[in-house]
Every structure is written in C-alpha cells, then in structure tokens.
Amino acid sequence: MLAILGFLMIIVFMILIMTGRLTAMIALIVVPITFAIIGGFGSEMGPMMLDGIKSVAPTGIMILFAILFFGILIDAGVFDPIIKTILRLVKGDPVKIAIGTAVLALFISLDGDGTTTYMITISAFLPLYKRIGMRPIVLAGIAVSASGVMNLLPWGGPTARVMTALNLEMSEVFTPVIPAMIGGAIFVLFMAFTLGRQEKKRIGIIEYDYEAAAQPAATAEDDYLKRPKLIIFNYTLTIVLLVALIMELLPPVALFMLGFAIAITVNYPKLKDQKERVANYADNALSVVSMVFAAGIFTGILSGTSMVDAMANSVIHYIPDAMGSHFAVVTAILSAPFTFFMSNDAFYYGVLPLLAKAGAVYGIDPAFIGRASLLGMPVHLLSPLVPSTYLLVGMVGEDFGTLQRIFLKWAFGSTIVMIIVCVVLGIFPL
C-alpha cells in the first residue's frame, strides 16, 4: 500500500504542475501533506517535514548567497566582455548562439555545481537571446542538459555517493564512464544544433549594427553600477571561488557567503548601495529559496513515511528473472525515473545497495551497477526535487512545467546515448 500511495502521490504531483493547476511550490507542500494524512501519518508529519527542511537548508542558503554573489558581479559588469565576444562570433545566427550556449555550459559545468553553471550561462546569454528574439526556454534547456551530463563528475555529488554506498574507488566508477560522458556531451551539442535550427527557421538570422548590439547587457540607467576598474579583481575572485568549490576548501554555503561578502564590500562599499543591491535580488532569491524548502517538505514526507523504500522494493520485485543477465542495463534505465522521483541521497544510499545486491544474484559486479546508476542524471535535473533547476527557470522567467514538457525527451535521449556508449565499449555488460 505504501508503494501505491507513493506512486499516486508522484503522479498527482506531476499532473498538477505540468497542467498548471498548481504552482510547483504549492504542490510541493500540499500534495505530500495530503497523502501523508491519507496514509495515516498525520500525527508524525511534523518531524518528517522538519527533517526534510533541515536536509535542504544548506542547499537553500547556498543558492541564496550564490544569487547574491553572481548578482553583484553581473551588476558590476563582469560578464559584459563575454557578451561582446559572443556577439562578435555568432553574428546573430541562432544556430551558433545555441551551440555557443552548450559549449559554455559544458565548460562551466566542470566545477560540478549546477547553480554556478546556471548563474554564469544565463547571465552571459540571456540578454543575447532576448536581443535576437530566441526563446529563453531554449537557453534554459540547453544549460540543464549540459549540466545533466557533467554532473557525473566525482565532485558533482552522484559519483561520490555511488563510491560511498558501494565502497568502490573512483577508478572503478568514474574513470570508465568518461567515454559515456563524452558521448552525452556530443548529444547535447547535437541537441543545441537542432534547437538552433528551429529558432533560425522561426526568426532567421538577425542583422544588426555590431557597435550598437555589442554594448553591455545592462540598460543605460544601470551604467552607474558598472565597475570596469575592478574587473580583474572580480574575475580573480570568481576563479578563486570556483577553485575553492572544486577543491572543497570549505563547504559551498560558506564559500558563497564569504564570496558575496567580499564582492559587495569591494564593489559597493557604501551601505546605501549594498542595501539597494540586496533588495534588487530579494524577489528572485525569495522565490527560489522558498521552493527549495518546499521541496524539503516533499522529500521529508516521502522518506519519513518509507514510501521511497516501498516504491524501490516493488519495482525491484517485479523485474523478471529473464532480465537478470541484463541487470546493469536495467539499472541504467531505472536510474532515470528513480532519480526523477526521489532525491539523490534516497536513491544512492537507499535504492542502489538493493540494486547491487539483486545484480550480484545474477553475477553482475557491483561496479557495473554503480556505473549504470549514474546515467539517469540528465533526467534527474528536470525533477521538481532539484533546487537548482528552480533557480534556472526563475532566471529565464519560464515555467517549470514548460521546461519539463519540452526537454524531458532530450534528457532521456542523453541517457540512452550514454547507455549505448557504455554497452558498446563494455563499460558495463549488456
């Protein structure tokens, strides 16, 4: 019954947000509470909800200060030279713009943090998309697709969870999967090319005066915010922060808090200016962070009621014995819906060990199961349980359900391509 209740909760939730009946934030709160009451967990909901909120609190705070940090850099004009360079290269061609978006997002995703990828990619490209007339949802979809492939990096999170859950080394899990990541990256570039052609067919190549179009993204009235004399300092600060994130010198939340404090103090030393800059991003920050904490309630109830465990066990139980020898491929396919419907922690620490044990019965090495479990990441990032994706749609001003409707098929395409690469190269057996 718990499994049925869990699946029904997910289905109702998805229908409500994809049809626009409820906003994602309201659905994240109302739907799990309703199903917890139906399941007889009404008296236990409080602690579950608090546990869920506590689990996402560091992420929520990190996103808050990431928004403020990169917002300060945007105001100071850090990304204006990037926009100028892109304009010079793409010359108003939507195909080149889309491919450039993918290349930049793939490159920035090397830090393994989706939040950083979205902040920089959207900040650099959104003014260009608007100026050319391309749909911002295309920008968001390319960025999330690139991040989905690069999220397999060990410092991105999922790979580290696999190594911990199955007691494996990086050489056993991540290194063999690198060719699959390359295949996924090529697919993202193909997707960007296809979407760029669609946009080119819709709006054509926009001709414009480069000298006028290459002006900074901000409007004239924002010129007083620019800090061209501090651009070297701001670039250095950004690079140092990204290196510190990759090297894990401090927790990400602490690094972004410190980075924001330094950035706003150096660029806007006057208290009046600081208050104005923080107030300017308060609306966006509030909408994103509130979504993160709402997602905490959803995951808290899903885990606290043991619906997650029941759902996982039911799926594993119904896998036919004839599929046993193909269990690695089965795991790779299941990783997409599993990580879409539950948090990474729930899947990799709760479900993956069960899948590894089931695979062992059929003689499948746990390392193969671990590698296969990573390939659903492109789909995972379109889950309503991923906080950074709310930041992405908020920045481009689009609806979460719209992003899912358009790009879920592309996300599954990335997963399928990586599975094919793994099977062909023997990264795990067919």
Side-chain angles (χ1 to χ4, degrees), residues 28 56-57 59-60 63 287-297 387-388 390:
L28 284 167
V56 300
T59 301
I63 289 177
S287 62
V288 174
V289 174
S290 60
M291 198 82 73
V292 172
F293 287 111
I297 291 178
S388 61
Y390 292 108

Side-chain angles (χ1 to χ4, degrees), residues 340-352:
F340 185 85
F341 293 134
M342 61 183 69
S343 68
N344 276 340
D345 285 338
F347 175 68
Y348 288 110
Y349 294 134
V351 178
L352 181 58

Side-chain angles (χ1 to χ4, degrees), residues 3 7 309-323 327 330 334 338 351 354-355 358 362:
F7 285 121
D309 296 332
M311 291 163 68
N313 285 321
S314 66
V315 171
I316 294 171
H317 177 73
Y318 287 105
I319 294 175
D321 288 339
M323 297 296 294
F327 207 79
V330 171
L334 288 178
F338 266 133
V351 178
L354 298 177
L355 292 172
Y362 301 104

Side-chain angles (χ1 to χ4, degrees), residues 111-400:
D111 78 332
D113 178 48
T115 301
T116 305
T117 300
Y118 302 150
M119 291 294 294
I120 295 177
T121 304
I122 305 305
S123 300
F125 274 93
L126 185 58
L128 176 59
Y129 272 66
K130 289 182 176 179
R131 189 176 294 132
I132 297 299
M134 294 177 66
R135 295 174 298 161
I137 194 69
V138 173
L139 169 59
I142 294 174
V144 77
S145 300
S147 186
V149 172
M150 300 302 289
N151 202 34
L152 273 65
L153 291 165
W155 49 87
T159 301
R161 290 179 175 89
V162 171
M163 292 187 292
T164 302
L166 300 183
N167 194 27
L168 298 170
E169 299 295 328
M170 189 170 74
S171 59
E172 297 176 282
V173 179
F174 171 69
T175 306
V177 177
I178 291 176
M181 289 181 63
I182 295 173
I186 293 173
F187 181 81
V188 170
L189 292 172
F190 166 75
M191 179 194 75
F193 172 77
T194 303
L195 294 172
R197 287 190 63 184
Q198 292 174 0
E199 291 295 280
K200 184 176 181 178
K201 184 177 180 180
R202 185 175 66 85
I203 63 176
I205 296 178
I206 307 300
E207 299 293 341
Y208 55 85
D209 177 19
Y210 169 74
E211 292 302 324
Q215 296 303 312
T219 55
E221 58 266 25
D222 290 334
D223 285 347
Y224 75 97
L225 295 173
K226 303 303 178 186
R227 297 293 184 267
K229 294 181 179 179
L230 293 173
I231 195 164
I232 300 299
F233 168 81
N234 285 325
Y235 277 132
T236 303
L237 177 61
T238 304
I239 293 170
V240 169
L241 177 61
L242 295 179
V243 170
L245 284 168
I246 294 171
M247 296 180 65
E248 299 181 348
L249 297 181
L250 287 174
V253 60
L255 288 171
F256 274 113
M257 292 177 76
L258 179 60
F260 162 70
I262 295 172
I264 196 169
T265 302
V266 174
N267 286 280
Y268 305 102
K270 295 181 181 179
L271 291 181
K272 178 184 177 182
D273 292 339
Q274 291 181 7
K275 291 179 181 179
E276 183 183 87
R277 291 301 87 216
V278 172
N280 183 63
Y281 291 97
D283 182 51
N284 187 34
L286 177 62
S287 62
V288 174
V289 174
S290 60
M291 198 82 73
V292 172
F293 287 111
I297 291 178
F298 192 99
T299 55
I301 289 178
L302 196 63
S303 300
T305 57
S306 296
M307 289 184 194
V308 165
D309 296 332
M311 291 163 68
N313 285 321
S314 66
V315 171
I316 294 171
H317 177 73
Y318 287 105
I319 294 175
D321 288 339
M323 297 296 294
S325 60
H326 310 291
F327 207 79
V329 175
V330 171
T331 299
I333 295 172
L334 288 178
S335 68
F338 266 133
T339 55
F340 185 85
F341 293 134
M342 61 183 69
S343 68
N344 276 340
D345 285 338
F347 175 68
Y348 288 110
Y349 294 134
V351 178
L352 181 58
L354 298 177
L355 292 172
K357 289 178 182 177
V361 173
Y362 301 104
I364 307 295
D365 192 311
F368 293 147
I369 301 298
R371 297 169 195 170
S373 70
L374 294 170
L375 304 187
M377 279 300 103
V379 177
H380 167 71
L381 288 191
L382 287 171
S383 167
L385 303 180
V386 178
S388 61
T389 311
Y390 292 108
L391 169 65
L392 174 65
V393 294
M395 289 187 71
V396 298
E398 293 287 349
D399 179 67
F400 197 102

